[in-house]
Amino acid sequence: MTNYDISIIMPSFNSEKSIGKAIDSIFNQETDFSFELLVIDDGSSDDTVNIIKSRMLQNKSIQLFYTDHKYQAEARNQGIKHASGKYIMFSDDDDEYLPGYIQAMGEKIKDMQLVIAGIEKQFPNGRVEVEDQSVMETATSDDQLLGDYLTKNQEMDVGLWNKIFVKKIIDDNHILMSNKNFFEDSLFVLQYLLAINWEQIGYVNQPMYLLNKHEGSTTNTYDPELLDKCNEYIDKVSKLIANRPELEKYFRSFKARIDLFYVHHNILNNPKWDVQDQRLILRPLINSSYLKELSKKYVSAIMLAFMMPKTYIKLYSKRK
């Protein structure tokens, strides 16, 4: 087995229109670091596998594995299992690495335990958003970093694809993804953060990963089991931080954010969502203990969504 500096893990599923470009963006990188790409196909029924195999003929550092449609979390776990690199990176099959990404992350991780890069988000309507400042950058302790992660995170903070991890830390702490297809990224990153030191996190303050936002994705489709998944996520976080009493003050605000996420998801994707449903979810949050660690933006959103639910639904639904 060849030992690489970096193993890049990419789940694939019915991505014939995008995976070629995603793979090319990785192998077009100019870098001094050796890397392998592990593609784990999750039961594709289109031409995805043939496209992967054609790229394998061009580059022997691509490996292809298969799962029987067990979803993204299990595919990533399989990638971690087979990875031979000292470091782990991730990519989705419909996104792209921007130029210089691997080199920047490889250089930075040498003296760190984790590196986080900025992201560029492209939406179907042509809108572009950039996130290049992590909420964790201003932390001056492990507790503050974890608290900020739980209560103030952005997409760049919880995503896997804009980070480089140390494989030994993943292995030694038995960090894997749970297979519910919601929040698995956030839980993985939280477990990793709990295993490292805040002073050993580096940041690349420019967008290095292109995240293509699609209609009809998991997060943009109504899921009747979402409330159970949200509650399961909250319960798992509670258990992970149970031996860290200093994080207790952040937990209720974290729960408030997840409850607001549930409201937002339903406003956008559930045609039966109504004022009564919304007020029922938010009523317990109208309490200072749930709001004190949140940003003003989230406090205002929760208060408006509860006090003026019709107005809030009308305003937020415009994001569809």
Side-chain angles (χ1 to χ4, degrees):
M1 177 187 291
T2 303
N3 289 319
Y4 293 91
D5 296 323
I6 301 168
S7 295
I8 302 169
I9 297 168
M10 178 188 291
S12 64
F13 178 70
N14 287 352
S15 54
E16 62 181 7
K17 294 181 179 179
S18 62
I19 194 165
K21 193 172 185 180
I23 292 173
D24 291 346
S25 76
I26 293 171
F27 284 95
N28 286 338
Q29 297 278 310
E30 293 185 7
T31 179
D32 300 327
F33 297 95
S34 63
F35 64 89
E36 63 176 346
L37 174 64
L38 296 89
V39 185
I40 300 86
D41 189 72
D42 191 36
S44 292
S45 58
D46 64 359
D47 205 38
T48 297
V49 170
N50 288 330
I51 294 170
I52 298 167
K53 288 180 176 179
S54 71
R55 295 304 195 278
M56 292 173 72
L57 295 174
Q58 302 168 22
N59 200 304
K60 293 182 179 180
S61 60
I62 302 174
Q63 296 188 63
L64 175 61
F65 302 91
Y66 301 91
T67 60
D68 296 325
H69 201 41
K70 296 180 179 179
Y71 298 102
Q72 195 164 249
E74 178 57 27
R76 286 171 171 162
N77 287 341
Q78 288 296 316
I80 293 170
K81 176 183 176 181
H82 292 289
S84 65
K86 183 178 180 180
Y87 304 109
I88 298 282
M89 295 176 70
F90 293 91
S91 179
D92 282 355
D93 59 5
D94 54 354
D95 296 331
E96 296 171 48
Y97 278 17
L98 294 175
Y101 181 34
I102 294 176
Q103 185 67 23
M105 300 300 269
E107 286 288 346
K108 198 85 171 178
I109 194 65
K110 289 178 180 178
D111 302 312
M112 297 290 169
Q113 296 173 327
L114 173 69
V115 177
I116 303 171
I119 61 174
E120 179 179 313
K121 298 190 282 189
Q122 293 192 357
F123 294 83
N125 63 2
R127 180 166 56 95
V128 174
E129 290 182 5
V130 169
E131 294 178 8
D132 56 13
Q133 298 286 330
S134 169
V135 299
M136 295 181 281
E137 282 189 68
T138 57
T140 56
S141 69
D142 288 329
D143 295 341
Q144 184 188 352
L145 180 135
L146 290 162
D148 287 346
Y149 177 79
L150 289 171
T151 61
K152 298 180 175 65
N153 64 69
Q154 312 166 86
E155 197 161 9
M156 70 169 287
D157 298 306
V158 299
L160 294 175
W161 11 252
N162 65 320
K163 298 175 176 64
I164 186 167
F165 302 87
V166 178
K167 187 174 189 294
K168 188 176 188 302
I169 294 174
I170 294 172
D171 292 341
D172 288 352
N173 291 276
H174 310 290
I175 302 172
L176 291 172
M177 273 156 255
S178 56
N179 197 25
K180 289 290 185 179
N181 224 40
F182 254 101
F183 308 116
E184 71 268 19
D185 294 27
S186 307
L187 275 171
F188 185 94
V189 174
L190 176 60
Q191 291 177 80
Y192 194 90
L193 292 173
L194 285 164
I196 65 174
N197 187 304
W198 70 274
E199 294 179 298
Q200 291 298 309
I201 302 176
Y203 302 92
V204 177
N205 298 118
Q206 64 185 90
M208 304 297 301
Y209 186 86
L210 179 61
L211 183 65
N212 288 307
K213 309 291 282 186
H214 300 291
E215 295 178 358
S217 65
T218 303
T219 52
N220 294 320
T221 306
Y222 175 60
D223 182 354
E225 298 179 358
L226 182 58
L227 183 58
D228 290 337
K229 292 177 181 179
C230 287
N231 288 333
E232 184 176 345
Y233 175 47
I234 292 167
D235 183 59
K236 286 182 177 180
V237 170
S238 176
K239 290 175 180 176
L240 283 171
I241 66 173
N243 63 342
R244 302 283 292 265
E246 60 276 11
L247 296 178
E248 187 175 329
K249 68 176 184 177
Y250 297 102
F251 182 73
R252 286 194 169 191
S253 294
F254 156 74
K255 182 182 183 306
R257 277 201 61 172
I258 301 305
D259 288 346
L260 183 62
F261 165 82
Y262 176 74
V263 167
H264 287 166
H265 185 90
N266 277 278
I267 290 174
L268 295 178
N269 303 300
N270 182 3
K272 295 182 179 180
W273 187 252
D274 61 24
V275 167
Q276 287 74 26
D277 293 329
Q278 185 158 306
R279 288 178 64 88
L280 181 66
I281 291 291
L282 296 177
R283 187 180 302 278
L285 308 184
I286 309 304
N287 180 308
S288 60
S289 65
Y290 283 92
L291 304 177
K292 64 181 180 180
E293 298 297 336
L294 293 177
S295 66
K296 291 180 180 179
K297 179 180 76 170
Y298 277 95
V299 172
S300 299
I302 289 171
M303 296 301 293
L304 180 61
F306 179 75
M307 302 299 294
M308 303 177 66
K310 285 186 178 179
T311 300
Y312 193 84
I313 289 171
K314 183 177 180 180
L315 290 172
Y316 199 84
S317 63
K318 293 181 180 179
R319 297 194 176 197
K320 184 70 174 177

